[in-house]
Amino acid sequence: MTANTLFYIIIAILIINFIVDKFIDALNAKHFNDILPKELRDVYEDTEYKKSQRYKATTYRFGILTSTFSLVLTIGFLWLDGFEFVDNIARSYSDNTIIIALLFFGIIMIGSDILTTPFSYYSTFVIEEQFGFNKTTIKTFILDKLKGWLMMGVIGGGLLALIIWFYQFTGQHFWLYAWGLVTLFTVFMNMFYSKLIVPLFNKQTPLETGSLRDKISEYAQTVGFKLDKIFVIDGSKRSTKANAYFSGFGNEKRVTLYDTLINDLEDEEIVAVLAHEVGHYKKKHIIFNLMASILLTGFMLFVLSFFISNPLLSNALSVEIPSFHIGLIAFVLLYSPISEFTGLVMNLVSRAFEYQADDYAKNTYKAEPLITSLKKLSKNSLSNLTPHPAYVFMHYSHPTLLQRIRNLRT
């Protein structure tokens, strides 16, 4: 195989992925105006349903625009030898392989983010604002960008530097050391993400003593689930949309409730949502997902180890001097069909896990408060209640609202 052939394979992968995604999106869009099933007719009033339809249509059209821009930008960058241009810039500042790679990825990531920021701004301050979701200020928007770049540089740059260092000293066996590093980092982040990263963006406060905390503690005791750390996060700082999540293991285990969730739901509904999350813990879903992520990462690094030394990868991107960072870019583009397949499998597993967690909540608490909470959350986020089955298969990590309600009522 020649470098030219590999280049066209990369272009073909990008175009085929785009066509498939847009086809699935178009199928889904045809269902935006479907009549709601009887189980869901109490979610929206007529005016609210029309608003949700407008929101879906608006985000669909905007999605076409942003994804088309991304495709054209990527193909144009490849066609005009953009990676060679950036690689030359990085090499003009240093002869050190690690520094060259960090400069290269820094330019690519920040440049890409700057080019897509207008779309992000429009989504936040026009679309989300128009439909009543946005609470983000310009100051918060800018600070989030700067903090994101800082984290990318410190954490992402640090991991990349170590992986390249492993490659320099161990050659083809670098993947084992890189896998060990990524595994340690993944476990660490699962343990301490809420304590170390979240405070950079949001304020977290312990849930105050009262009826809600008492009900949560009472439920936790009935199922033998120790839960002392319950926090409220100021999600309303950015959006009216609500959420809740568990994080950490052992003594670092905590539940975080968005303040918007507390405002939108009754106490019983919040407990039902947490019962669902407890179900994920009790059914070992958290451990499974963590192990699956680690194994998939190991597999990718293992495959990468067979190709990274091949100059064909760098030459396919028109870069004459082979390097780890250029080879990595080419490999990620070529690996994307495999990533797409593993993503589909993980979504399939995730949807099965959601049913199991719903069943756990139904059997250890109550089904009806969970149903009403799901309806309220769908209503408040103007969710699509009639998605196309193909779109669900490709993109949903959760069953549809209708599927969950029917399962909870059986």
Side-chain angles (χ1 to χ4, degrees), residues 96-369:
N96 183 282
T97 303
I98 293 176
I99 293 177
I100 292 171
L102 293 178
L103 288 172
F104 174 85
F105 280 109
I107 294 170
I108 294 291
M109 297 298 181
I110 293 177
S112 175
D113 200 37
I114 290 173
L115 288 172
T116 56
T117 289
F119 295 101
S120 178
Y121 180 93
Y122 187 87
S123 175
T124 301
F125 293 103
V126 178
I127 296 177
E128 296 295 294
E129 184 78 31
Q130 176 186 346
F131 289 94
F133 294 128
N134 180 50
K135 295 295 180 182
T136 304
T137 63
I138 297 292
K139 178 182 177 181
T140 299
F141 183 82
I142 294 173
L143 285 176
D144 282 351
K145 282 288 181 185
L146 295 176
K147 291 174 185 177
W149 289 354
L150 179 62
M151 286 181 56
M152 178 178 67
V154 174
I155 298 176
L159 288 173
L160 178 64
L162 283 171
I163 289 172
I164 295 175
W165 186 78
F166 291 147
Y167 174 70
Q168 290 177 329
F169 283 91
T170 64
Q172 190 175 348
H173 298 292
F174 86 95
W175 75 274
L176 283 169
Y177 299 91
W179 188 24
L181 173 67
V182 173
T183 297
L184 289 174
F185 176 75
T186 301
V187 173
F188 180 82
M189 290 303 292
N190 270 271
M191 287 285 290
F192 300 106
Y193 173 80
S194 292
K195 181 178 287 188
L196 299 178
I197 304 300
V198 172
L200 298 176
F201 297 89
N202 288 92
K203 182 180 179 181
Q204 298 177 113
T205 55
L207 177 64
E208 61 185 22
T209 303
S211 62
L212 176 58
R213 189 177 186 97
D214 291 342
K215 289 176 181 177
I216 292 173
S217 298
E218 181 181 343
Y219 169 75
Q221 289 177 3
T222 61
V223 294
F225 188 80
K226 185 179 179 182
L227 187 58
D228 299 324
K229 299 178 181 179
I230 308 172
F231 289 85
V232 179
I233 189 172
D234 59 341
S236 59
K237 177 180 178 181
R238 292 179 178 80
S239 175
T240 62
K241 295 177 181 179
N243 197 8
Y245 62 90
F246 273 86
S247 59
F249 299 98
N251 293 331
E252 294 299 325
K253 182 170 56 184
R254 64 163 67 187
V255 60
T256 302
L257 307 173
Y258 278 51
D259 53 358
T260 46
L261 185 84
I262 294 175
N263 293 333
D264 292 346
L265 303 185
E266 302 294 331
D267 286 359
E268 275 200 340
E269 293 169 334
I270 295 173
V271 176
V273 170
L274 293 180
H276 168 93
E277 299 297 337
V278 170
H280 282 307
Y281 267 84
K282 290 288 188 177
K283 297 292 183 179
K284 310 297 184 185
H285 298 162
I286 310 300
I287 298 297
F288 177 91
N289 288 334
L290 179 61
M291 294 302 299
S293 174
I294 291 171
L295 289 174
L296 288 173
T297 300
F299 175 74
M300 185 189 73
L301 289 168
F302 174 69
V303 176
L304 173 64
S305 69
F306 287 99
F307 295 94
I308 195 64
S309 298
N310 192 331
L312 194 64
L313 288 178
S314 296
N315 294 339
L317 300 187
S318 302
V319 179
E320 294 182 1
I321 305 175
S323 63
F324 184 93
H325 58 275
I326 298 293
L328 180 61
I329 290 282
F331 175 81
V332 169
L333 292 170
L334 290 166
Y335 192 78
S336 61
I338 299 176
S339 295
E340 190 75 25
F341 174 74
T342 56
L344 290 176
V345 173
M346 290 305 296
N347 276 343
L348 187 66
V349 172
S350 177
R351 291 193 293 270
F353 284 173
E354 292 302 320
Y355 282 129
Q356 292 177 16
D358 279 351
D359 289 341
Y360 184 88
K362 174 176 66 176
N363 295 329
T364 61
Y365 192 63
K366 305 170 187 175
E368 200 56 37

